[in-house]
Amino acid sequence: MFSKVLNYNIFNKSKNELIKYITNLKKIHIISGNPEVLYSGLYDNSIFQGCSEENSVIIPDGIGVVIASKIAKNPVKEKIAGIEVMDEIIKLCEREGKGIYLLGAKQELLDECKIRLRDKYKGLNIVGSHNGYFDMDNCEDILQDIKNSQPHAIFVAMGCPRQEKFINKYMSDLPASIYMGVGGSFDVIAGKVNRAPRWMINLGLEWLYRVSKEPWRIKRLGVIPKLLLKVIYNTYIIKQKVM
Ligand code: UDP
């Protein structure tokens, strides 16, 4: 069910199998394993620890990670986009009458995101929300709000590594079952940024679309070759030395 890439266990079944897998667990942290998260974890122990917890599942969210798994000779089945997993969890919560909590993004985008979600999923219960600009070490009011509202799922859209750090730090104190860092997904749902057209997603070119819309992202792409080089080094150089 998992492919080993640089000491990370990456989920290697389909999106539907992931949904089945998570619904059977009491508490789960879904990590959108894009190259940025995985590379940060190599140098930031708190992120790596969070990825390695028993109740964490890393999904291969990005073509860079799919390629990395092939180089590591443990290929994952397919790319699983975090925003699509979020969508499936929302549908599940809507069907089963379970609440969700939205944490992250700027206030006006968060408000728009809630309006659009309520419009799209008529039966959805958004039990609470808070923007993503607060002091993570002093946020008792937000934690209390989450405890009071008893969500089934919490989506944290504060970018990497802030969202992972928040979840790692507070997950054990909070009552929800599903915790997921969703990056810029609230901005996408609010309509501020669009996802790439389906043909680009299918060709693994979503990153190119995002860079064309937000050119400052080009700097962040540098992490993909760095991650791949690490995987090549670990797969071919270190293993050969051991042999
Ligand atoms: N953000 C936040 N708090 C912060 C920094 C960022 O809530 O302190 C939000 C930001 O408004 C945006 C999201 O986090 O909605 C980050 O999106 P980004 O596009 O960087 O994430 P990606 O999809 O690339 O992981």
Side-chain angles (χ1 to χ4, degrees):
M1 189 172 280
F2 295 94
S3 288
K4 196 98 174 153
V5 179
L6 290 176
N7 289 334
Y8 293 107
N9 290 314
I10 317 264
F11 190 79
N12 68 13
K13 305 264 181 235
S14 67
K15 185 174 69 186
N16 290 342
E17 285 164 298
L18 173 80
I19 301 300
K20 268 192 225 140
Y21 174 74
I22 60 172
T23 44
N24 290 328
L25 299 168
K26 260 195 166 150
K27 217 169 203 188
I28 179 88
H29 177 191
I30 304 168
I31 299 166
S32 285
N34 54 44
E36 212 177 351
V37 173
L38 300 190
Y39 195 75
S40 314
L42 298 178
Y43 299 95
D44 183 330
N45 204 37
S46 71
I47 295 193
F48 184 77
Q49 255 336 99
C51 289
S52 316
E53 295 290 347
E54 207 186 321
N55 54 5
S56 295
V57 60
I58 307 174
I59 58 170
D61 185 359
I63 195 70
V65 176
V66 174
I67 295 171
S69 73
K70 286 184 184 158
I71 296 173
K73 299 181 184 156
N74 290 319
V76 295
K77 184 167 187 183
E78 59 191 23
K79 173 189 161 184
I80 304 181
I83 194 163
E84 292 175 16
V85 173
M86 177 182 175
D87 194 58
E88 292 299 327
I89 296 170
I90 287 177
K91 282 188 211 152
L92 197 131
C93 287
E94 184 195 26
R95 262 201 317 274
E96 298 186 358
K98 293 175 170 167
I100 67 163
Y101 195 101
L102 305 178
L103 179 63
K106 297 201 172 110
Q107 190 62 48
E108 61 277 20
L109 285 165
L110 176 63
D111 292 340
E112 185 58 31
C113 174
K114 285 194 286 182
I115 291 172
R116 291 194 182 203
L117 282 177
R118 285 191 171 121
D119 195 46
K120 187 168 172 196
Y121 306 99
K122 301 286 184 220
L124 180 64
N125 189 9
I126 304 176
V127 292
S129 65
H130 196 285
N131 66 61
Y133 294 84
F134 58 89
D135 175 2
M136 211 159 61
D137 296 318
N138 294 293
C139 57
E140 212 24 70
D141 51 336
I142 298 174
L143 298 174
Q144 200 51 54
D145 188 41
I146 296 174
K147 285 177 193 163
N148 293 344
S149 50
Q150 296 279 320
H152 179 68
I154 304 181
F155 298 106
V156 187
M158 304 197 293
C160 163
R162 186 170 154 81
Q163 60 195 24
E164 282 72 30
K165 291 196 169 183
F166 179 88
I167 296 174
N168 293 338
K169 188 163 181 179
Y170 295 118
M171 177 175 169
S172 60
D173 294 339
L174 294 173
S177 291
I178 300 173
Y179 299 77
M180 181 173 184
V182 292
S185 299
F186 294 0
D187 299 357
V188 175
I189 295 168
K192 186 190 163 222
V193 283
N194 291 323
R195 275 197 86 192
R198 185 45 66 180
W199 68 267
M200 285 187 98
I201 296 176
N202 291 344
L203 286 176
L205 294 176
E206 194 162 16
W207 58 273
L208 183 62
Y209 180 84
R210 294 187 81 181
V211 168
S212 73
K213 296 286 167 190
E214 298 169 308
W216 54 268
R217 283 186 180 274
I218 195 127
K219 272 197 274 170
R220 287 169 58 175
L221 285 180
V223 86
I224 299 177
K226 284 190 203 162
L227 182 80
L228 296 182
L229 281 174
K230 263 276 186 226
V231 179
I232 290 169
Y233 183 78
N234 274 37
T235 311
Y236 293 98
I237 317 267
I238 295 189
K239 282 206 180 133
Q240 271 180 14
K241 273 187 194 160
V242 173
M243 286 159 93

